[in-house]
């Protein structure tokens, strides 16, 4: 099964659909993204990009609200906090202060840009 993300005019992901592998096969028996895009466009209209559940392509599996970055050829999740920084290697948001390495429970404190331990 292949997954395709529908994008709006701002390259934001609107939905992700599953397409059966036989719908992607070319005359040589190879899967082609362009065939899957054409299939989705014919069925639903819109603009489509393939995404990988195993993160084999485009860094991250697309989700609603993610953005497709053309220059990075990657799906980028929404930024969780304004202080977090995008990792160029993973296209994931990372805190400016690393999470403590111990096994405690922590929550991010945007006001102090640090981790607060949760006492349960």
């Amino acid at each position: 099964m292949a997954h395709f993300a529908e994008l709006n005019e701002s390259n934001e992901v609107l939905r992700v659909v599953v397409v059966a592998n036989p719908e992607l096969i070319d005359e040589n028996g190879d899967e082609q993204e362009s065939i899957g895009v054409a299939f989705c466009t014919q069925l639903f209209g819109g603009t489509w990009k393939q995404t990988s559940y195993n993160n084999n392509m485009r860094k991250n599996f697309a989700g609603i609200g993610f953005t497709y970055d053309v220059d990075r050829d990657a799906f980028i999740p929404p930024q969780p906090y304004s202080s977090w920084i995008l990792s160029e290697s993973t296209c994931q948001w990372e805190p400016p202060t690393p999470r403590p390495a111990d096994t405690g429970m922590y929550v991010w404190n945007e006001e102090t840009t640090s981790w607060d331990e949760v006492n349960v």
Side-chain angles (χ1 to χ4, degrees), residues 2-3 13 15 29 37 61 83 92 94 97 102 104 108:
H3 297 82
V13 176
R15 64 179 160 169
V37 167
F61 182 71
S83 66
Q92 289 284 325
E94 297 178 349
T97 306
D102 64 39
W108 179 252

Side-chain angles (χ1 to χ4, degrees), residues 46-117:
T47 302
W48 297 87
K49 285 284 181 187
Q50 189 170 4
T51 185
S52 170
Y53 192 78
N54 299 319
N55 299 336
N56 292 337
M57 62 170 41
R58 304 205 165 99
K59 304 285 186 183
N60 300 296
F61 182 71
I64 294 172
F66 280 47
T67 301
Y68 173 68
D69 186 299
V70 175
D71 294 330
R72 293 180 177 98
D73 189 28
F75 287 105
I76 300 174
Q79 186 176 14
Y81 300 98
S82 59
S83 66
W84 287 33
I85 303 151
L86 186 67
S87 164
E88 289 296 327
S89 62
T90 65
C91 287
Q92 289 284 325
W93 295 100
E94 297 178 349
T97 306
R99 186 181 183 285
D102 64 39
T103 59
M105 292 186 63
Y106 295 89
V107 293
W108 179 252
N109 184 330
E110 182 65 8
E111 209 171 280
T112 62
T113 62
S114 62
W115 295 95
D116 292 341
E117 188 167 14

